[in-house]
Each structure stands twice: as C-alpha cells, then as structure tokens.
Amino acid sequence: MLRKRRHPQIDMRPAQPAQGYEHLAGESIAVLTWLQANQVEFVLVGPVAEAVRGGAGSAGPVAIVPAPYRRNYERLSRALDAANARPRQNGAEAARAKAGLDQAARGQRWQFRTGIHFLDVEGRSNETPGYQELLYEAGRFELAAGLSVDVASPEDIEHYAHVRRTGSSPELRITRGTKQQLEHSS
C-alpha cells in the first residue's frame, strides 16, 4: 500500500537559538525551521531579517522572497496547506491567496497565519529586487542548530520595509534649480 507523504509541521516546542540570536522570537525560528524542513528556498527580508542583522527590528512576521521557480512555489504551497495556513487578508484576496501563490512572482504580497505563526510571502514587482539580486547580496546566518538562513542585505531589508509602509519603492529625484531659485533659497 502506498503511503501519502507527510509534510513537516511547524514545531510548537520552543526553539533553541544559536548564541547571539537569543533576541529572536521562538515563533520566528520555528517558522524558518519549518520552511527549511519543507525544502523551500528563500531569502529572508522584513523585521526578522533586520533583527538577525543586528538592527532594532520591530516585532513582525517572517517575511520571505521565495526562489522563483514552479517547484519551489509548489513546495511552499504544500507546506502551507499541510500547516492549515490561512490568509490574513479579508475579502476576495483571501479566497485566492493559496490557489494563486505563484502570482507572488507578479508583485503581490501574501500574508499567512498558522496558529500563532505568521508568514509573509513577498512578491516581485519591477521596482523591488528579485530573488537572484537578493541572494547575491545576502549573508548566510546559522540561527539555530541545523538552521542556516540567507538574510538579505541591510539595504534590501530597508527597501522592502519602505515598500511595506508606503506601497511603492523609494525613489530619488535630482533636479537642477534655476539661478533665481538657488538665490531665493539662500
């Protein structure tokens, strides 16, 4: 008789962080361990990534940018299904979230909750760095025994934080003032 493959669940026991990462929430380490056990490839961005990099890092969900290929999205989707993850949005978006997870590649952000654990799957828009760009600049950190995670660079973490706050990428505009404007501002 064939057995159905069981996917790893989120461990509810408190995780033991590695030395130097005691400030990370046990729930965050549990989610990252669960993603790794389900063989999901990702780069960590968001508040948890900021905390790993040594920033103040406000409390918040584990935010990831998954590797943009179909098998990885399928593994993430199966893991979310197995953990009974529910979208945190309301309305029509919530109904489409898990079915359309591969649309994260089109710039949408999906926000999930499974029990006390939170996970944001950041999408790729033209204005945000994609998985490859993030991975190139990322650092690898061992947060717990057997848990190594790629964490985005501080600049990329700040970029995603700005996008989360404002809904658009930061932009720098340089304009040249006329002589009259420059004299007036002095």
Side-chain angles (χ1 to χ4, degrees):
M1 171 163 54
L2 293 175
R3 288 185 168 186
K4 240 184 177 179
R5 183 168 181 222
R6 297 188 63 110
H7 297 281
Q9 297 293 312
I10 298 176
D11 194 355
M12 297 299 180
R13 293 175 289 169
Q16 284 295 346
Q19 185 176 3
Y21 298 107
E22 295 86 4
H23 62 284
L24 295 178
E27 294 85 13
S28 298
I29 293 176
V31 169
L32 293 169
T33 303
W34 167 72
L35 287 168
Q36 186 179 43
N38 280 286
Q39 300 175 346
V40 176
E41 296 177 34
F42 62 90
V43 174
L44 186 63
V45 296
V48 176
E50 187 177 352
V52 169
R53 286 277 188 181
S58 60
V62 171
I64 64 166
V65 174
Y69 57 91
R70 182 158 303 283
R71 269 195 193 146
N72 196 50
Y73 286 128
E74 288 171 358
R75 286 192 291 260
L76 178 56
S77 182
R78 280 193 302 267
L80 289 167
D81 280 340
N84 272 341
R86 299 285 176 245
R88 293 194 321 256
Q89 302 102 328
N90 52 14
E93 283 184 25
R96 299 182 288 121
K98 279 200 287 191
L101 189 59
D102 60 341
Q103 291 179 351
R106 296 188 196 122
Q108 297 178 343
R109 180 186 322 130
W110 301 110
Q111 300 172 324
F112 294 100
R113 175 189 185 120
T114 173
I116 60 170
H117 302 96
F118 297 97
L119 175 68
D120 288 357
V121 180
E122 300 285 348
R124 166 89 164 97
S125 69
N126 293 336
E127 302 155 351
T128 58
Y131 175 78
Q132 292 297 331
E133 293 94 348
L134 291 171
L135 190 59
Y136 182 74
E137 296 289 330
R140 193 160 198 64
F141 294 86
E142 186 166 341
L143 305 180
L147 175 64
S148 291
V149 178
D150 292 316
V151 180
S153 70
E155 295 83 11
D156 290 329
I157 293 168
E158 185 177 326
H159 180 91
Y160 273 94
H162 181 83
V163 170
R164 257 191 313 280
R165 278 190 315 271
T166 65
S168 63
S169 287
E171 64 180 63
L172 178 64
R173 291 187 185 179
I174 300 174
T175 58
R176 293 185 181 182
T178 64
K179 186 176 180 180
Q180 186 180 27
Q181 289 172 329
L182 291 173
E183 289 172 356
H184 181 66
S185 65
S186 298

